[in-house]
Every structure is written in C-alpha cells, then in structure tokens.
Amino acid sequence: MRAKPPDPKEQAKKAALNALKRARRAAEKSGVELSEWEGEFLTSVAQRVETYGRAFADPEKGARGQALSGNQAIKLKEIARKAKGEPKPMKRGKGFQRRGREPHLAEPEPESDEG
C-alpha cells in the first residue's frame, strides 16, 4: 500500500504556522520587544491560517496554494529579522534626482536679456 502524496495546501499551512511560531519564539528568546502591532499581526495571522488554511481572502494578493500573501510574508520576515537582532535593510531611494538640491526647492534660473 502506498501513502497518499502530501497535500500542498496543508504543507503551506503548516509551514506558515511554524514560521509564525519561530518568529515569536525568537523575539521572546532574544528579549526583543515587539510592538503592539507586530504582536497582534502574528496572533491574527496565525488564527486565520488555522481557521481558513490561509490568511488572505483576495487570490490576487498571494500565490495559489500559499498560506500568506506577499506582503504578509515580507512583514513576517521583517519581524523575524528584528527578533534576531539583524539590522534593517536599506531604505529605498527617492528615484532619480539631482544631487545637492531638491527640484521643488530650486530657484528658477534668471532669463538673459541678450538678444
């Protein structure tokens, strides 16, 4: 008799719950104080995954067969990094701007009267 192949949805659910538990345990173990929002996030996401098998309703917000949406996975990684004491990643830039002066603060160039 052969065993049934594992259910991918059940595997994703179990992996998400384990990741949430690991992040919370790492924060407690290292003594890092999670903000009220982060603690509530971990609790509510875990409850939704246990109840519904995934933590988001809109299928466009995450991959099929995944338990966490893309943004939830990113936030979970940020919380795990904070719990481990790793530095925050670099912030995104402001796009392509001239160095040294802000475009909205720049003075208009004087017009020349030469003809």
Side-chain angles (χ1 to χ4, degrees):
M1 232 184 189
R2 287 189 169 180
K4 291 193 305 184
D7 181 25
K9 288 183 180 179
E10 195 61 35
Q11 284 180 330
K13 176 181 174 180
K14 190 173 183 179
L17 289 172
N18 285 337
L20 291 164
K21 288 177 188 174
R22 271 195 311 270
R24 186 178 297 278
R25 275 191 309 229
E28 290 171 358
K29 186 177 180 181
S30 65
V32 172
E33 191 70 30
L34 294 178
S35 69
E36 182 180 334
W37 185 91
E38 290 168 332
E40 186 177 321
F41 172 80
L42 292 174
T43 303
S44 67
V45 169
Q47 287 175 346
R48 283 182 272 159
V49 170
E50 288 173 0
T51 305
Y52 305 110
R54 54 197 261 174
F56 60 100
D58 189 357
E60 292 183 10
K61 291 186 177 180
R64 216 169 134 197
Q66 295 296 313
L68 300 176
S69 72
N71 287 338
Q72 288 169 336
I74 290 169
K75 192 62 189 172
L76 177 60
K77 286 180 184 179
E78 289 175 3
I79 293 171
R81 273 193 216 113
K82 179 180 178 180
K84 290 180 183 177
E86 294 179 11
K88 291 183 179 180
M90 289 180 20
K91 292 187 177 184
R92 292 188 178 137
K94 295 182 181 178
F96 294 103
Q97 290 185 345
R98 296 181 98 176
R99 291 187 185 184
R101 64 180 205 186
E102 298 285 325
H104 64 279
L105 298 177
E107 296 176 17
E109 294 187 26
E111 296 180 17
S112 63
D113 291 335
E114 295 178 21

